[in-house]
Amino acid sequence: MTSTAQPTGSEGRKAHPDHLGHVIFITAAAAMGGFLFGYDSSVINGAVEAIRSRYDVGSALLAQVIAVALIGCAIGAATAGRIADRIGRIRVMQIASVLFTISAVGSALPFSLWDLAFWRIVGGFAIGMASVIGPAYIAEVSPSAYRGRLGSFQQAAIVIGIAVSQLVNWGILNLADGNQRGTLAGLEAWQWMLGVMVVPAVLYGLLSFAIPESPRYLISVGKVSRAKEVLAEVEGHTVNLDTRVTEIQDAMRREHKSSFKDLLGSKMGFLPIVWVGIGLSVFQQLVGINVAFYYSSALWQSVGIDPSASFFYSFTTSIINIIGTVIAMVFVDKIGRRPLALIGSAGMALSLALEAWAFSAKTAAGTLPPTEGTVALIAAHVFVLFFALSWGVVVWVFLGEMFPNRIRAAALGVAACAQWIANWAITASFPSLSDWNLSGTYVIYTIFALLSIPFVLKFVKETKGKALEEMG
């Protein structure tokens, strides 16, 4: 997706859509991929213990089955940009929708553990594609004045997807009388949890037919008249469309198809700005946020909380996630991306440290004393709140904005790929690490949260209020 340039002249800066609600609809439809991203990432939370029981697997193998989807995510993220440059952003969304649907059906009806793992890889590939195409498409159709807030829709959709999946899982568990392997209409409860994703997957595909192709892609393939129509939709009829098209064409002529080679520097492998993007992506995951969404039900059960209550706490955590994301959406264009990241890092470090302290009191019977249990639950919610109001949103906004036009597509793909690899490392290692020392595991996450502070202070530059052409 190389032609993501926003206008360099005054036309783009003063662009205000005639119907902001229509632009919001377009953005929300594109962000539906983020909803599926969140839903699929979290839905496995309700199935972990049931899969362990049905296939009689240990923590290490179970972790690989849970985490294997992230390998597909990395591949999907690395290839989505190039595919979108060839066939368009909307077609990539539609392909992702089909893969999501197939994955949901296959995951709900697996013949074996390895069959389940295969379908999770398929779904992961779709998630990876959606994780790249959503922010890039939104950046391309958003007027500069609203780009930060509209860019936040991706993360908002992710956290809503997480919350809905937790709520659906909780509802299915209650229908199955609290038994994750209880039978409902011939299938076990955990199979229904995974299969329900068919509904949002199909909706994503249908919505993709209701939104326009990116004007920058349309111009790149010579469909200038259609591009003007879309620009009028999203930037308003008061903008001089001929001037806007000329601005985009001039920016595109200064660009070339970004490739992996364009990201390489002379001394450090990648260009410094690419390393910053990779660092943001990796730190976002190394604080252990996805442990809260992949394993929270199993985690709370491991410290003595019954299954129904553990599912409920997973749901309340996801509600906190939504609240934090709304806070970020309100402030990301007011106080900036960098201050939010620093606030979040400090809050996450403190709450993770409290969780580490609380889990150190785990008894031989596998429970927590009342005081430590209360602290652990509160700290877990506070951690998610600070992540959501900061790194959960600003990393996606940064990645959509920070790279120069000539390398944006390739750099975004590499950064997203790094994010999935880091996600895989945390997800695959948590069950074994928690078996070793649950408190020690959270100490590790605390250290990464602390290290993110000097990283932001030294290497990350503010992108608030800048046109995309000014980046890098």
Side-chain angles (χ1 to χ4, degrees):
M1 295 166 291
T2 57
S3 53
T4 57
Q6 289 283 352
T8 58
S10 61
E11 290 294 340
R13 293 183 184 278
K14 68 185 181 184
H16 293 279
D18 298 325
H19 303 288
L20 182 58
H22 180 60
V23 177
I24 291 173
F25 169 77
I26 292 172
T27 303
M32 188 68 188
F35 178 92
L36 284 166
F37 172 2
Y39 195 101
D40 186 81
S41 297
S42 184
V43 71
I44 196 68
N45 190 359
V48 170
E49 292 305 312
I51 293 170
R52 186 198 300 270
S53 170
R54 175 160 175 168
Y55 297 107
D56 192 24
V57 295
S59 294
L61 182 56
L62 177 66
Q64 294 307 316
V65 174
I66 303 305
V68 73
L70 302 173
I71 302 301
C73 291
I75 297 171
T79 58
R82 303 304 293 170
I83 296 172
D85 279 343
R86 293 177 181 274
I87 65 174
R89 285 67 166 141
I90 300 299
R91 288 287 177 265
V92 171
M93 294 180 194
Q94 291 163 354
I95 291 171
S97 169
V98 171
L99 292 177
F100 271 126
T101 303
I102 294 172
S103 170
V105 174
S107 298
L109 304 170
F111 299 110
S112 66
L113 185 65
W114 300 111
D115 183 48
L116 174 62
F118 171 76
W119 293 118
R120 285 190 54 72
I121 292 175
V122 172
F125 186 84
I127 291 174
M129 294 179 75
S131 73
V132 170
I133 198 64
Y137 174 86
I138 292 169
E140 290 181 352
V141 300
S142 299
S144 295
Y146 301 97
R147 197 178 62 231
R149 280 163 286 181
L150 294 176
S152 301
F153 273 46
Q154 173 78 0
Q155 182 64 19
I158 292 171
V159 299
I160 292 171
I162 290 170
V164 172
S165 72
Q166 301 284 23
L167 182 60
V168 170
N169 283 356
W170 186 51
I172 291 173
L173 184 71
N174 285 327
L175 288 174
D177 297 324
N179 183 0
Q180 295 171 48
R181 296 199 58 192
T183 301
L184 295 170
L187 297 177
E188 293 184 4
W190 69 273
Q191 293 176 278
W192 282 107
M193 294 175 187
L194 300 183
V196 166
M197 197 176 70
V198 166
V199 176
V202 171
L203 180 60
Y204 181 42
L206 293 175
L207 285 172
S208 71
F209 287 98
I211 60 177
E213 182 55 87
S214 159
R216 287 147 190 87
Y217 172 75
L218 291 170
I219 291 172
S220 75
V221 295
K223 298 181 179 180
V224 176
S225 60
R226 176 56 184 152
K228 288 182 179 179
E229 293 174 6
V230 177
L231 286 168
E233 281 186 55
V234 300
E235 295 190 2
H237 289 81
T238 59
V239 171
N240 187 315
L241 298 178
D242 290 327
T243 301
R244 285 292 292 108
V245 169
T246 300
E247 288 174 349
I248 294 170
Q249 288 174 329
D250 288 344
M252 291 168 61
R253 275 192 289 270
R254 293 194 299 269
E255 300 168 9
H256 64 283
K257 294 289 184 182
S258 56
S259 66
F260 186 80
K261 184 169 28 173
D262 297 321
L263 307 182
L264 301 179
S266 57
K267 295 181 179 180
M268 299 184 294
F270 289 122
L271 295 168
I273 190 66
V274 178
W275 280 117
V276 174
I278 291 172
L280 285 167
S281 290
V282 169
F283 271 117
Q284 187 196 53
Q285 297 302 315
L286 294 185
V287 296
I289 185 60
N290 279 309
V291 168
F293 301 127
Y294 292 143
Y295 295 114
S296 61
S297 293
L299 172 64
W300 296 127
Q301 290 175 54
S302 75
V303 292
I305 295 175
D306 68 82
S308 183
S310 71
F311 273 58
F312 178 73
Y313 291 138
S314 296
F315 173 63
T316 58
T317 300
S318 65
I319 296 301
I320 294 295
N321 198 15
I322 293 175
I323 293 171
T325 301
V326 171
I327 293 172
M329 292 175 70
V330 170
F331 288 105
V332 68
D333 280 331
K334 292 184 178 179
I335 69 172
R337 290 73 160 134
R338 200 165 172 262
L340 279 180
L342 292 170
I343 292 169
S345 293
M348 289 189 296
L350 177 60
S351 52
L352 285 167
L354 286 172
E355 285 192 81
W357 171 80
F359 289 135
S360 68
K362 185 177 178 180
T363 67
T367 60
L368 291 179
T371 299
E372 285 80 357
T374 301
V375 169
L377 281 170
I378 294 174
H381 285 71
V382 172
F383 164 61
V384 170
L385 176 66
F386 274 99
F387 175 86
L389 64 81
S390 60
W391 285 74
V393 167
V394 299
V395 168
W396 290 108
V397 176
F398 268 130
L399 294 182
E401 294 179 335
M402 65 185 289
F403 301 114
N405 287 329
R406 66 182 182 84
I407 65 167
R408 180 167 293 116
L412 181 55
V414 167
C417 184
Q419 187 174 125
W420 289 117
I421 293 171
N423 190 341
W424 171 81
I426 292 296
T427 304
S429 63
F430 176 74
S432 296
L433 283 174
S434 62
D435 285 349
W436 160 70
N437 189 316
L438 184 57
S439 178
T441 302
Y442 275 82
V443 169
I444 294 171
Y445 301 154
T446 303
I447 291 171
F448 283 122
L450 289 170
L451 289 175
S452 69
I453 296 175
F455 173 80
V456 171
L457 290 172
K458 184 172 178 61
F459 298 111
V460 179
K461 295 181 180 180
E462 183 59 73
T463 59
K464 170 191 168 188
K466 296 181 180 180
L468 295 186
E469 281 71 33
E470 300 175 49
M471 303 303 177

